[in-house]
Amino acid sequence: MFLKQLKYLVCVSIALTISGGLFAQTTVKLATVAPEGSPWANELAKIKKKIEAESQGQIKFKIYPGGQMGGENEILQQVIRGKLQGAGLTAGALANTVKELNVLEIPYLFNSYAQADCVLDEHLLEDFRKLFEAKGLIFVTWAENGYRSIGTKSAPVKKPEDLKGIKIRVQESPVHIAYWKQLGVSGIPIAIPEVLPSLQTGVVEGFDNTPLFTLAAEWQTAIKYFTLTRHIYQPAAILYSKKYWDTLNDEQKKTLMGEGNKLAPGARQAVRSIEKNMIATLKKADVQVYEPSAADLAGFKSAAGVVAGQVIGKIGGQSKQIYDKIQKAKAACGP
């Protein structure tokens, strides 16, 4: 009788192994530079709760916010190597590996949130899913940082000429560096965790980012002026490591991906819904916020046109195809 029971248990064990280990436990360590309490970190907390509940505790999540695992480039490399199982990263950082993402960072590429959503969701989703996977990343869903603007310490910026002589922190991305160079600025690439001390010590005197991220990272404590140039719409993405993904069974993958690839439906809307409040908060923090006129923005947009040509010509890969597809999609999506 004992031998029969033992054989039965062995058979069940083998069957479960063959079927992919349906009940195997797994842990997802997911990192982001987004600070604790920010909409991004809150959205990741919702994802954690949802997946752990749906998997009945078989999938555990450990979230590392606020750059605990380093800057975005460091986090990205850990995900590719499989040391981290997932991450929430901006397109600017991801573009260092998936170079076609540089196209999305071209200044003034999109005219509105609605246009960006239409292009990314309805026209480019599968293109980027394949590009991510080829680099060891499994795309889950788009998120966003929003529209980037300029914060400075010592002088307001109303037109490109006002940037002369100002040391600006730039994101570690070729398109960002190219844009600032075109504006005549000496850009200094600095990882997110080091930006605030660099502002405080004078290593740099300004930066570009969204009002939300500026406040979330407390960069507003080191500036006096913020100009709403809205020069780059910056998407972000939630991703898993392909090395990790390939160890999972179909049920685990389905749970981790989320139905219809909409694991975090509020990720973008949460950022947009508080933009006006964030601008008001900057003002309350004694930061002078300037809304440029169309004439003020003309110089910024002129420089952007040059950068587009540089990016498309030098980045390579499928950049030209992606850019052409965006232009075609914009015509179909509307303003």
Side-chain angles (χ1 to χ4, degrees), residues 31 87-91 94 101 132 139-145 235-239:
L89 299 166
T90 63
L94 288 165
L101 280 167
F132 279 122
F139 175 85
V140 181
T141 185
W142 293 115
E144 77 178 23
N145 187 19
I238 297 174
L239 308 137

Side-chain angles (χ1 to χ4, degrees), residues 24 67 84 104 123 163 166 200 220-221 275 309:
L84 287 171
L104 301 183
H123 297 268
L163 288 163
I166 297 179
Q200 292 169 334
Q220 85 284 356
T221 60
E275 184 179 32

Side-chain angles (χ1 to χ4, degrees), residues 15 22 47 49 62 70 100 118 138 152 178 223 236 258 278 294 315 317:
L22 184 60
I47 291 173
K49 183 177 180 180
K62 177 67 175 176
E100 290 85 355
C118 178
I138 299 297
T152 51
I223 61 169
M278 295 298 97
I315 296 304

Side-chain angles (χ1 to χ4, degrees), residues 26-33 61-65 67-89 136-138 239-247:
T26 185
T27 299
V28 177
K29 293 186 288 184
L30 192 149
T32 178
V33 297
F61 257 74
K62 177 67 175 176
I63 308 295
Y64 296 90
Q68 292 181 37
M69 293 297 179
E72 289 198 300
N73 289 333
E74 293 172 279
I75 291 172
L76 175 58
Q77 292 308 312
Q78 291 179 75
V79 173
I80 292 172
R81 294 196 302 267
K83 184 176 180 180
L84 287 171
Q85 288 72 47
L89 299 166
L137 301 163
I138 299 297
L239 308 137
Y240 296 128
S241 166
K242 188 175 187 304
K243 281 191 175 181
Y244 169 67
W245 189 257
D246 289 343
T247 68

Side-chain angles (χ1 to χ4, degrees), residues 28-257:
V28 177
K29 293 186 288 184
L30 192 149
T32 178
V33 297
E36 189 77 53
S38 67
W40 309 287
N42 292 341
E43 202 64 34
L44 290 176
K46 291 178 185 178
I47 291 173
K48 166 185 164 71
K49 183 177 180 180
K50 175 181 172 65
I51 288 177
E52 289 184 345
E54 289 184 358
S55 69
Q56 297 182 341
Q58 296 304 309
I59 301 176
K60 299 290 186 182
F61 257 74
K62 177 67 175 176
I63 308 295
Y64 296 90
Q68 292 181 37
M69 293 297 179
E72 289 198 300
N73 289 333
E74 293 172 279
I75 291 172
L76 175 58
Q77 292 308 312
Q78 291 179 75
V79 173
I80 292 172
R81 294 196 302 267
K83 184 176 180 180
L84 287 171
Q85 288 72 47
L89 299 166
T90 63
L94 288 165
N96 289 324
T97 296
V98 183
K99 54 189 175 183
E100 290 85 355
L101 280 167
N102 280 291
V103 177
L104 301 183
E105 298 279 299
I106 292 172
Y108 300 105
L109 179 66
F110 296 116
N111 299 322
S112 66
Y113 285 125
Q115 187 183 74
D117 288 348
C118 178
V119 172
L120 294 176
D121 294 343
E122 299 179 25
H123 297 268
L124 289 177
L125 197 62
E126 290 307 314
D127 296 85
F128 276 109
R129 190 185 307 283
K130 293 174 183 177
L131 290 168
F132 279 122
E133 188 165 355
K135 296 297 183 180
L137 301 163
I138 299 297
F139 175 85
V140 181
T141 185
W142 293 115
E144 77 178 23
N145 187 19
Y147 278 98
R148 298 172 75 101
S149 292
I150 301 171
T152 51
K153 293 176 64 174
S154 57
V157 173
K158 297 183 179 181
K159 53 188 182 299
E161 291 80 2
D162 296 333
L163 288 163
K164 186 176 181 179
I166 297 179
K167 294 178 292 183
I168 296 287
R169 177 267 171 179
V170 302
Q171 185 157 327
E172 301 160 288
S173 157
V175 69
H176 286 244
I177 294 170
Y179 182 54
W180 288 105
K181 184 178 180 180
Q182 192 61 40
L183 290 170
V185 175
S186 176
I188 303 175
I190 299 175
I192 290 290
E194 301 303 318
V195 174
L196 184 55
S198 295
L199 286 165
Q200 292 169 334
T201 58
V203 172
V204 290
E205 301 161 276
F207 60 86
D208 78 315
N209 218 306
T210 63
L212 176 55
F213 195 93
T214 298
L215 288 162
E218 298 186 348
W219 293 357
Q220 85 284 356
T221 60
I223 61 169
K224 294 182 180 179
Y225 307 96
F226 198 83
T227 304
L228 297 170
T229 51
R230 299 183 178 94
H231 52 279
I232 291 177
Y233 169 72
Q234 188 169 60
I238 297 174
L239 308 137
Y240 296 128
S241 166
K242 188 175 187 304
K243 281 191 175 181
Y244 169 67
W245 189 257
D246 289 343
T247 68
L248 304 175
N249 60 53
D250 290 343
E251 192 67 24
Q252 290 169 327
K253 289 178 180 179
K254 182 179 178 181
T255 303
L256 283 169
M257 186 60 70

